Amino acid sequence: MSSESEIVQVRDVVKDFRPGFGIRKKRVLHGISFDVMQGEIFGFVGPNGAGKTTTLKLLMGLIRATSGTAKILGHDIGETAFRREVGFLPENAYFYDYLTGREVLDFYARLSGVPSRERANRVETLLDWVGLSYAGDSRIRTYSKGMAQRVGIAQALVHDPSVVFLDEPMSGLDPIGRKEIRDLIIRLRTEGKTVFMNTHILSDVEMVCDRVAIIVEGKIRYQGHTHDFLDDGEHDCEIVVSGVEPELATQLEERHGAELRGQGERVEMRVAEKKVGAVLDAVLKARGRVLAVTPQRVSLESIFLDAVREEEGAQ
Amino acid sequence: MKAIERIWTIGLNTVREAIRNKLLYTLLFFAIVMIGTGVIVGSISYVEGSRILQDVGLASIRLFSTGIAIFVGVGLIHGEVYRRTIYTILSKPVSRAEFLIGKFVGLVMTIWLQLLIMSAAFVVVSLLSGAPVDLGHASALGLIGVELAIVVAVATLFSAFTTPMLASFFTLGIYMMGHLSRDLLQIGANSESASLERITRVIYEVLPDLEMYNLSIQAVHQLPIAASEVWLPVLYGLGYVAAILFAASHIFERRDFK
Ligand SMILES: Nc1ncnc2c1ncn2[C@@H]1O[C@H](COP(=O)(O)OP(=O)(O)OP(=O)(O)O)[C@@H](O)[C@H]1O
Ligand SMILES: [Mg+2]
């Protein structure tokens, strides 16, 4: 498979729910389209109730689309055989709580067709990856939330799938657990796997995802590469100085287009990146002191907030 | 991996769940108590003590195993959807039909296991009290097993799309109608009304004829049992179960799991 091929292809997918007795319908997905490419970590983000889990359940064949098409690895999502290559961690995963962690993983490995001679090995490897080797013989019933989440991640990977779908993989995990799972996801990428991840934790997206789509109220509002907004383009700089006399202030505003806030001992201003040198020169020449220079990245958060506001504005 | 292996994996896991579920032991315990009661009743009545014992024994086996089949069967699929354990299973290369059939097979195996234990208790108690045990009893117990498979299939069907409450209502209804459908047919045939006759005919055709699975009287009274009285019900049962599971899979295929 070439490195540019689409692993997941979603086209104009609409989903209506009919709550209650199905008289009124509620449109949850308004014709969404996106692609996930081979080998990338794709972040699917959006506010609560935006339709992330619905999209994922649709891709997993748990609910049927009202209209539109979706394919995984070139197969229509109604098929089952290709799921040998698919791993899935549901939101708040539940497992048979009368089974032990080891038995659960063995069960899923069997269902996925992992040959018996590899199974035991694979189960141990996964228990180790998610840090549950010590609890492998305890019943799931006795597991904490975070432990159950780790079992969920392990079962999603136990059959060594080539594409993995994770619904809120970090939820319920402590800071160390988060870091471990982040590292695990990054490791999946180095193994050439494709990862689709639902989340609303933007810092996780910035840290691990290659590309992101923002869904708001069932519509895709933004799609882009994370490096586009993380490391290039024109940025503003926030400069904090002290000892600014009124004539310097006027000069900065008129000559350099700086926007000043405050006066005297602490003045903050926002200037375009290419003007930073000139502004600092002017301040130093007038015997002011520079307290801080901070480049302002366009963060995912601001893109996210814009997308949500835009949707609110549209209503 | 073949479909059979996946169905078997799900089935075995269903048996394992039942074995680890304490409730089933309680029911089994009560069933054995009932058989024991038969012994006591049988031993204090002077006339035909061993027949009463076997009557009560077979009746309690039927009652309790059907009770367990319905009780567990109606929540069989619903519980998996409700507890969302089905999400991860269907994300694996397992079709919905395979899942449903696997659950059915698992429950049938569980119920048969219980039937086996109860039958063993029945045999022991009969022999201890000097009552004969022969092929007639084996046939009667075997047909109870086939009937139970039908009951589980019906419960599975309803469990695939409705709540345990409604499913037990429907399953129990079908079970009772299934035992009465011959009488209904007779009533229809004896009535003067052609439409009543047609209605009872349809009911008889659609619902399972469960009276044919009752060989208790022949067994207990040592009456002869023709071979066809055994293999016809077995064939009919197989066909009926297949048809029900086919319908259940079809309904299940269209569902959204929310
Ligand atoms: N079974 C259902 N019946 C009716 N409406 C539903 C159903 N499931 C979800 N919804 C609605 O669909 C919308 C999207 O829900 P979804 O669970 O996909 O959101 P989400 O983006 O995953 O949110 P969160 O971040 O809270 O997990 C919500 O408005 C929700 O109320
Ligand atoms: Mg969600």
Side-chain angles (χ1 to χ4, degrees), chain A residues 50-79:
Chain A
K52 303 183 293 294
T53 298
T54 304
T55 305
L56 206 38
K57 280 165 76 176
L58 221 133
L59 286 171
M60 293 301 108
L62 297 171
I63 57 180
R64 310 290 191 205
T66 305
S67 67
T69 58
K71 289 187 168 176
I72 298 176
L73 298 164
H75 296 271
D76 187 275
I77 48 170
E79 299 173 25

mmCIF file of all heavy atoms in Angstrom, chain A residues 50-79:
data_model
loop_
_atom_site.group_PDB
_atom_site.id
_atom_site.type_symbol
_atom_site.label_atom_id
_atom_site.label_comp_id
_atom_site.label_asym_id
_atom_site.label_seq_id
_atom_site.Cartn_x
_atom_site.Cartn_y
_atom_site.Cartn_z
ATOM 1 N N ALA A 50 -20.765 16.564 20.021
ATOM 2 C CA ALA A 50 -20.573 17.011 18.641
ATOM 3 C C ALA A 50 -20.842 15.901 17.628
ATOM 4 O O ALA A 50 -21.165 16.162 16.474
ATOM 5 C CB ALA A 50 -19.151 17.536 18.463
ATOM 6 N N GLY A 51 -20.679 14.662 18.066
ATOM 7 C CA GLY A 51 -20.901 13.540 17.143
ATOM 8 C C GLY A 51 -19.664 12.682 16.924
ATOM 9 O O GLY A 51 -19.631 11.863 16.005
ATOM 10 N N LYS A 52 -18.675 12.804 17.781
ATOM 11 C CA LYS A 52 -17.436 12.022 17.623
ATOM 12 C C LYS A 52 -17.697 10.530 17.829
ATOM 13 O O LYS A 52 -17.336 9.700 17.001
ATOM 14 C CB LYS A 52 -16.376 12.485 18.638
ATOM 15 C CG LYS A 52 -16.035 13.953 18.555
ATOM 16 C CD LYS A 52 -14.932 14.337 19.527
ATOM 17 C CE LYS A 52 -15.339 14.232 20.991
ATOM 18 N NZ LYS A 52 -16.397 15.200 21.371
ATOM 19 N N THR A 53 -18.327 10.213 18.955
ATOM 20 C CA THR A 53 -18.596 8.808 19.252
ATOM 21 C C THR A 53 -19.550 8.215 18.220
ATOM 22 O O THR A 53 -19.378 7.070 17.785
ATOM 23 C CB THR A 53 -19.181 8.681 20.669
ATOM 24 O OG1 THR A 53 -18.195 9.149 21.593
ATOM 25 C CG2 THR A 53 -19.543 7.256 21.008
ATOM 26 N N THR A 54 -20.523 8.996 17.799
ATOM 27 C CA THR A 54 -21.460 8.527 16.783
ATOM 28 C C THR A 54 -20.709 8.150 15.504
ATOM 29 O O THR A 54 -20.961 7.102 14.904
ATOM 30 C CB THR A 54 -22.508 9.617 16.490
ATOM 31 O OG1 THR A 54 -23.142 9.961 17.719
ATOM 32 C CG2 THR A 54 -23.540 9.148 15.502
ATOM 33 N N THR A 55 -19.775 9.003 15.100
ATOM 34 C CA THR A 55 -18.989 8.718 13.893
ATOM 35 C C THR A 55 -18.213 7.414 14.048
ATOM 36 O O THR A 55 -18.196 6.569 13.155
ATOM 37 C CB THR A 55 -17.999 9.873 13.633
ATOM 38 O OG1 THR A 55 -18.732 11.087 13.572
ATOM 39 C CG2 THR A 55 -17.238 9.665 12.342
ATOM 40 N N LEU A 56 -17.621 7.247 15.208
ATOM 41 C CA LEU A 56 -16.811 6.059 15.449
ATOM 42 C C LEU A 56 -17.669 4.791 15.479
ATOM 43 O O LEU A 56 -17.303 3.760 14.913
ATOM 44 C CB LEU A 56 -16.066 6.241 16.771
ATOM 45 C CG LEU A 56 -14.770 5.495 16.935
ATOM 46 C CD1 LEU A 56 -13.979 5.468 15.649
ATOM 47 C CD2 LEU A 56 -13.940 6.148 18.013
ATOM 48 N N LYS A 57 -18.828 4.873 16.117
ATOM 49 C CA LYS A 57 -19.703 3.703 16.177
ATOM 50 C C LYS A 57 -20.193 3.335 14.780
ATOM 51 O O LYS A 57 -20.352 2.162 14.454
ATOM 52 C CB LYS A 57 -20.894 3.978 17.095
ATOM 53 C CG LYS A 57 -20.521 3.826 18.569
ATOM 54 C CD LYS A 57 -21.549 4.418 19.501
ATOM 55 C CE LYS A 57 -22.771 3.578 19.652
ATOM 56 N NZ LYS A 57 -23.698 4.149 20.654
ATOM 57 N N LEU A 58 -20.382 4.357 13.984
ATOM 58 C CA LEU A 58 -20.776 4.121 12.608
ATOM 59 C C LEU A 58 -19.679 3.374 11.849
ATOM 60 O O LEU A 58 -19.938 2.406 11.133
ATOM 61 C CB LEU A 58 -21.004 5.488 11.977
ATOM 62 C CG LEU A 58 -22.189 5.602 11.067
ATOM 63 C CD1 LEU A 58 -22.961 6.852 11.420
ATOM 64 C CD2 LEU A 58 -21.694 5.665 9.667
ATOM 65 N N LEU A 59 -18.437 3.831 12.037
ATOM 66 C CA LEU A 59 -17.314 3.183 11.357
ATOM 67 C C LEU A 59 -17.140 1.745 11.832
ATOM 68 O O LEU A 59 -16.671 0.890 11.093
ATOM 69 C CB LEU A 59 -16.021 3.968 11.599
ATOM 70 C CG LEU A 59 -15.900 5.285 10.837
ATOM 71 C CD1 LEU A 59 -14.682 6.074 11.310
ATOM 72 C CD2 LEU A 59 -15.813 5.021 9.342
ATOM 73 N N MET A 60 -17.519 1.476 13.081
ATOM 74 C CA MET A 60 -17.365 0.127 13.620
ATOM 75 C C MET A 60 -18.565 -0.755 13.301
ATOM 76 O O MET A 60 -18.653 -1.887 13.773
ATOM 77 C CB MET A 60 -17.161 0.189 15.135
ATOM 78 C CG MET A 60 -15.857 0.813 15.563
ATOM 79 S SD MET A 60 -14.428 -0.071 14.900
ATOM 80 C CE MET A 60 -13.864 1.089 13.688
ATOM 81 N N GLY A 61 -19.517 -0.230 12.551
ATOM 82 C CA GLY A 61 -20.669 -1.037 12.170
ATOM 83 C C GLY A 61 -21.662 -1.248 13.296
ATOM 84 O O GLY A 61 -22.498 -2.141 13.217
ATOM 85 N N LEU A 62 -21.595 -0.436 14.353
ATOM 86 C CA LEU A 62 -22.520 -0.616 15.477
ATOM 87 C C LEU A 62 -23.825 0.115 15.231
ATOM 88 O O LEU A 62 -24.865 -0.262 15.758
ATOM 89 C CB LEU A 62 -21.871 -0.102 16.768
ATOM 90 C CG LEU A 62 -20.617 -0.867 17.184
ATOM 91 C CD1 LEU A 62 -19.912 -0.164 18.323
ATOM 92 C CD2 LEU A 62 -20.990 -2.291 17.573
ATOM 93 N N ILE A 63 -23.747 1.191 14.442
ATOM 94 C CA ILE A 63 -24.972 1.860 14.009
ATOM 95 C C ILE A 63 -24.864 2.059 12.503
ATOM 96 O O ILE A 63 -23.756 2.063 11.957
ATOM 97 C CB ILE A 63 -25.197 3.214 14.729
ATOM 98 C CG1 ILE A 63 -24.013 4.148 14.520
ATOM 99 C CG2 ILE A 63 -25.431 3.021 16.207
ATOM 100 C CD1 ILE A 63 -24.192 5.486 15.197
ATOM 101 N N ARG A 64 -26.002 2.151 11.853
ATOM 102 C CA ARG A 64 -26.013 2.248 10.396
ATOM 103 C C ARG A 64 -26.247 3.686 9.971
ATOM 104 O O ARG A 64 -27.083 4.375 10.555
ATOM 105 C CB ARG A 64 -27.127 1.377 9.820
ATOM 106 C CG ARG A 64 -27.148 -0.059 10.339
ATOM 107 C CD ARG A 64 -25.982 -0.854 9.826
ATOM 108 N NE ARG A 64 -26.151 -2.279 10.101
ATOM 109 C CZ ARG A 64 -25.130 -3.125 10.212
ATOM 110 N NH1 ARG A 64 -23.886 -2.694 10.110
ATOM 111 N NH2 ARG A 64 -25.348 -4.402 10.431
ATOM 112 N N ALA A 65 -25.530 4.140 8.948
ATOM 113 C CA ALA A 65 -25.688 5.507 8.460
ATOM 114 C C ALA A 65 -27.057 5.672 7.811
ATOM 115 O O ALA A 65 -27.588 4.739 7.216
ATOM 116 C CB ALA A 65 -24.592 5.820 7.450
ATOM 117 N N THR A 66 -27.627 6.869 7.961
ATOM 118 C CA THR A 66 -28.890 7.165 7.288
ATOM 119 C C THR A 66 -28.628 7.316 5.796
ATOM 120 O O THR A 66 -29.389 6.836 4.962
ATOM 121 C CB THR A 66 -29.494 8.454 7.876
ATOM 122 O OG1 THR A 66 -29.611 8.289 9.286
ATOM 123 C CG2 THR A 66 -30.850 8.739 7.275
ATOM 124 N N SER A 67 -27.526 8.014 5.450
ATOM 125 C CA SER A 67 -27.092 8.060 4.050
ATOM 126 C C SER A 67 -25.604 8.338 4.022
ATOM 127 O O SER A 67 -25.003 8.681 5.029
ATOM 128 C CB SER A 67 -27.866 9.131 3.272
ATOM 129 O OG SER A 67 -27.519 10.409 3.758
ATOM 130 N N GLY A 68 -25.009 8.196 2.841
ATOM 131 C CA GLY A 68 -23.576 8.398 2.706
ATOM 132 C C GLY A 68 -22.836 7.078 2.757
ATOM 133 O O GLY A 68 -23.430 6.030 3.023
ATOM 134 N N THR A 69 -21.528 7.120 2.483
ATOM 135 C CA THR A 69 -20.748 5.893 2.475
ATOM 136 C C THR A 69 -19.505 6.049 3.335
ATOM 137 O O THR A 69 -19.009 7.153 3.515
ATOM 138 C CB THR A 69 -20.268 5.523 1.059
ATOM 139 O OG1 THR A 69 -19.483 6.613 0.558
ATOM 140 C CG2 THR A 69 -21.413 5.236 0.138
ATOM 141 N N ALA A 70 -19.030 4.935 3.850
ATOM 142 C CA ALA A 70 -17.782 4.946 4.605
ATOM 143 C C ALA A 70 -17.039 3.662 4.304
ATOM 144 O O ALA A 70 -17.640 2.595 4.195
ATOM 145 C CB ALA A 70 -18.071 5.064 6.094
ATOM 146 N N LYS A 71 -15.728 3.798 4.145
ATOM 147 C CA LYS A 71 -14.900 2.620 3.864
ATOM 148 C C LYS A 71 -13.697 2.606 4.776
ATOM 149 O O LYS A 71 -13.159 3.662 5.118
ATOM 150 C CB LYS A 71 -14.415 2.650 2.409
ATOM 151 C CG LYS A 71 -15.530 2.383 1.442
ATOM 152 C CD LYS A 71 -15.025 2.256 0.038
ATOM 153 C CE LYS A 71 -16.162 1.702 -0.807
ATOM 154 N NZ LYS A 71 -15.856 1.620 -2.190
ATOM 155 N N ILE A 72 -13.292 1.414 5.152
ATOM 156 C CA ILE A 72 -12.052 1.234 5.904
ATOM 157 C C ILE A 72 -11.223 0.234 5.111
ATOM 158 O O ILE A 72 -11.731 -0.831 4.745
ATOM 159 C CB ILE A 72 -12.322 0.702 7.320
ATOM 160 C CG1 ILE A 72 -13.165 1.702 8.113
ATOM 161 C CG2 ILE A 72 -11.012 0.426 8.037
ATOM 162 C CD1 ILE A 72 -13.565 1.221 9.499
ATOM 163 N N LEU A 73 -9.978 0.586 4.833
ATOM 164 C CA LEU A 73 -9.075 -0.274 4.045
ATOM 165 C C LEU A 73 -9.745 -0.702 2.748
ATOM 166 O O LEU A 73 -9.553 -1.825 2.273
ATOM 167 C CB LEU A 73 -8.686 -1.512 4.873
ATOM 168 C CG LEU A 73 -7.913 -1.225 6.164
ATOM 169 C CD1 LEU A 73 -7.907 -2.436 7.085
ATOM 170 C CD2 LEU A 73 -6.479 -0.803 5.865
ATOM 171 N N GLY A 74 -10.551 0.197 2.205
ATOM 172 C CA GLY A 74 -11.205 -0.089 0.937
ATOM 173 C C GLY A 74 -12.450 -0.951 1.021
ATOM 174 O O GLY A 74 -13.089 -1.225 0.012
ATOM 175 N N HIS A 75 -12.798 -1.389 2.239
ATOM 176 C CA HIS A 75 -13.978 -2.246 2.401
ATOM 177 C C HIS A 75 -15.153 -1.438 2.925
ATOM 178 O O HIS A 75 -14.988 -0.590 3.791
ATOM 179 C CB HIS A 75 -13.703 -3.374 3.393
ATOM 180 C CG HIS A 75 -12.644 -4.308 2.939
ATOM 181 N ND1 HIS A 75 -12.897 -5.421 2.178
ATOM 182 C CD2 HIS A 75 -11.308 -4.279 3.128
ATOM 183 C CE1 HIS A 75 -11.774 -6.044 1.916
ATOM 184 N NE2 HIS A 75 -10.785 -5.374 2.479
ATOM 185 N N ASP A 76 -16.321 -1.764 2.431
ATOM 186 C CA ASP A 76 -17.524 -1.151 2.972
ATOM 187 C C ASP A 76 -17.647 -1.537 4.441
ATOM 188 O O ASP A 76 -17.376 -2.684 4.810
ATOM 189 C CB ASP A 76 -18.742 -1.653 2.197
ATOM 190 C CG ASP A 76 -19.986 -0.911 2.600
ATOM 191 O OD1 ASP A 76 -20.627 -1.311 3.601
ATOM 192 O OD2 ASP A 76 -20.302 0.081 1.938
ATOM 193 N N ILE A 77 -18.055 -0.582 5.293
ATOM 194 C CA ILE A 77 -18.043 -0.863 6.724
ATOM 195 C C ILE A 77 -19.076 -1.904 7.162
ATOM 196 O O ILE A 77 -19.032 -2.382 8.276
ATOM 197 C CB ILE A 77 -18.242 0.409 7.577
ATOM 198 C CG1 ILE A 77 -19.416 1.206 7.038
ATOM 199 C CG2 ILE A 77 -16.976 1.233 7.609
ATOM 200 C CD1 ILE A 77 -19.822 2.316 7.948
ATOM 201 N N GLY A 78 -19.982 -2.280 6.260
ATOM 202 C CA GLY A 78 -20.932 -3.343 6.603
ATOM 203 C C GLY A 78 -20.288 -4.725 6.601
ATOM 204 O O GLY A 78 -20.820 -5.665 7.175
ATOM 205 N N GLU A 79 -19.126 -4.856 5.962
ATOM 206 C CA GLU A 79 -18.460 -6.165 5.918
ATOM 207 C C GLU A 79 -17.808 -6.478 7.262
ATOM 208 O O GLU A 79 -17.647 -5.592 8.096
ATOM 209 C CB GLU A 79 -17.376 -6.173 4.830
ATOM 210 C CG GLU A 79 -17.909 -5.917 3.433
ATOM 211 C CD GLU A 79 -16.773 -5.758 2.428
ATOM 212 O OE1 GLU A 79 -15.673 -6.286 2.669
ATOM 213 O OE2 GLU A 79 -16.999 -5.088 1.417
#
